[in-house]
């Protein structure tokens, strides 16, 4: 989350993680660290559930969704990261939520879904600036799916394109 500039002594922290941790510090005082760690573990669980939901949406299979959840929840390193106050858990959840927004948009295009996807990428960028680069592939996907030739095509072709784009975007993470 730090940007080191060409000047000496110039480092800037993106505001996402401090904004996440501030309410715990303001309301719980000495217990803020424990509350932050509990919240981070909840973020890990939410990320696993979101990954399972995306798997289920892309494959239309509840069995594969549960398999995806089991594989995601079994990751030991994710639980280890939740024991440290780091931006990874919040960033991963926001990044995966932006993918879920894109999958939702590809399933049923609407302005609300597009705004939701863009807002989630923006929130992820506030946590870690690397997600700035997601605007390009997500933007291209949103534009392509809004074109008349895409919308006038048959449903199986649209569905195949939507699932392919979503799977490629999801695999990048």
């Amino acid at each position: 989350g730090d940007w080191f500039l060409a000047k000496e002594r110039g480092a800037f922290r993106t505001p996402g993680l401090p904004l996440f941790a501030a309410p715990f510090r303001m309301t719980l005082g000495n217990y803020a660290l424990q509350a932050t760690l509990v919240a981070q573990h909840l973020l890990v669980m939410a990320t696993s559930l979101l990954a399972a939901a995306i798997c289920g949406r892309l494959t239309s299979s509840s069995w594969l969704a549960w398999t995806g959840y089991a594989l995601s929840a079994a990751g030991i390193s994710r639980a280890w990261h939740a024991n440290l106050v780091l931006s990874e858990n919040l960033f991963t959840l926001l990044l995966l939520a932006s993918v879920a927004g894109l999958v939702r948009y590809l399933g049923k295009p609407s302005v609300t879904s597009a705004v939701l996807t863009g807002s989630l990428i923006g929130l992820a960028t506030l946590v870690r600036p690397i997600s700035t680069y997601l605007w390009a592939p997500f933007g291209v996907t949103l534009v392509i799916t809004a074109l008349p030739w895409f919308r006038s095509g048959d449903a199986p072709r649209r569905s195949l394109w939507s699932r392919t784009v979503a799977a490629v975007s999801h695999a990048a993470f």
Side-chain angles (χ1 to χ4, degrees):
D2 290 332
W3 290 342
F4 293 102
L5 301 178
K7 299 180 194 176
E8 292 182 28
R9 294 182 237 124
F12 298 93
R13 169 144 314 276
T14 54
L17 185 62
L19 288 174
F20 171 74
F24 298 114
R25 181 72 177 152
M26 290 182 350
T27 58
L28 299 172
N30 292 337
Y31 299 104
L33 178 61
Q34 290 87 344
T36 303
L37 295 179
V38 168
Q40 288 192 159
H41 280 280
L42 292 173
L43 291 176
V44 168
M45 291 171 40
T47 303
S48 295
L49 288 170
L50 192 55
I54 291 171
C55 287
R57 179 83 183 243
L58 290 176
T59 63
S60 301
S61 168
S62 61
W63 183 84
L64 288 175
W66 282 107
T67 303
Y69 176 73
L71 291 172
S72 179
I76 295 172
S77 64
R78 296 180 64 229
W80 180 81
H81 274 99
N83 288 327
L84 306 169
V85 180
L86 298 171
S87 62
E88 275 76 9
N89 299 306
L90 181 59
F91 177 69
T92 303
L93 178 65
L94 291 172
L95 201 60
L96 202 56
S98 66
V99 172
L102 180 64
V103 169
R104 178 181 176 200
Y105 176 83
L106 292 173
K108 186 176 181 185
S110 70
V111 173
T112 305
S113 296
V115 169
L116 174 70
T117 301
S119 299
L120 289 167
I121 294 172
L123 287 173
T125 303
L126 287 176
V127 176
R128 296 181 92 182
I130 190 68
S131 59
T132 302
Y133 300 113
L134 283 179
W135 289 105
F138 278 32
V140 167
T141 302
L142 295 176
V143 168
I144 286 174
T145 57
L147 293 174
W149 67 265
F150 179 82
R151 290 184 174 210
S152 64
D154 58 344
R157 182 174 60 98
R158 280 196 318 263
S159 178
L160 177 63
W161 166 256
S162 298
R163 289 172 191 235
T164 302
V165 169
V168 168
S169 298
H170 184 67
F173 301 117

